[in-house]
Amino acid sequence: MDKSVETFITSDIGIAAYLQLQGYKLLNCCRQSSGKFHFEFSDPNGECKMKSFEFLESDFCKFDNLVRNLKKILFS
């Protein structure tokens, strides 16, 4: 019996880093021709979407936003 692998895809680097921190396996990552990021994770239990919402409420998200703001200041 062939089992298809359930996956979760995001273009957000902060969410991708959080999912890796949570132990989810990164299957593929690339930068598309449009410049958009593509991260694909193994999601056998369908929990990645919930974890991505969890990220938005966490200190990790606050940290990610602060890093982005500092980059904007440096490159403006």
Side-chain angles (χ1 to χ4, degrees):
M1 183 180 252
D2 182 27
K3 289 184 178 179
S4 63
V5 177
E6 295 293 323
T7 61
F8 177 80
I9 296 171
T10 184
S11 60
D12 188 289
I13 197 167
I15 290 173
Y18 185 73
L19 290 174
Q20 281 194 296
L21 185 66
Q22 296 295 312
Y24 290 90
K25 183 178 179 182
L26 180 64
L27 300 174
N28 186 24
C29 68
C30 64
R31 190 167 184 179
Q32 298 174 333
S33 59
S34 65
K36 191 173 180 181
F37 296 131
H38 175 92
F39 301 97
E40 184 175 359
F41 288 87
S42 176
D43 189 17
N45 299 319
E47 298 172 339
C48 284
K49 185 173 184 177
M50 190 171 100
K51 288 290 182 184
S52 69
F53 290 126
E54 183 181 289
F55 166 77
L56 296 174
E57 306 262 336
S58 73
D59 285 339
F60 299 106
C61 184
K62 293 174 192 170
F63 175 81
D64 184 51
N65 287 329
L66 291 170
V67 170
R68 289 176 199 235
N69 288 336
L70 288 170
K71 282 182 170 180
K72 286 177 186 175
I73 292 168
L74 290 172
F75 293 106
S76 63

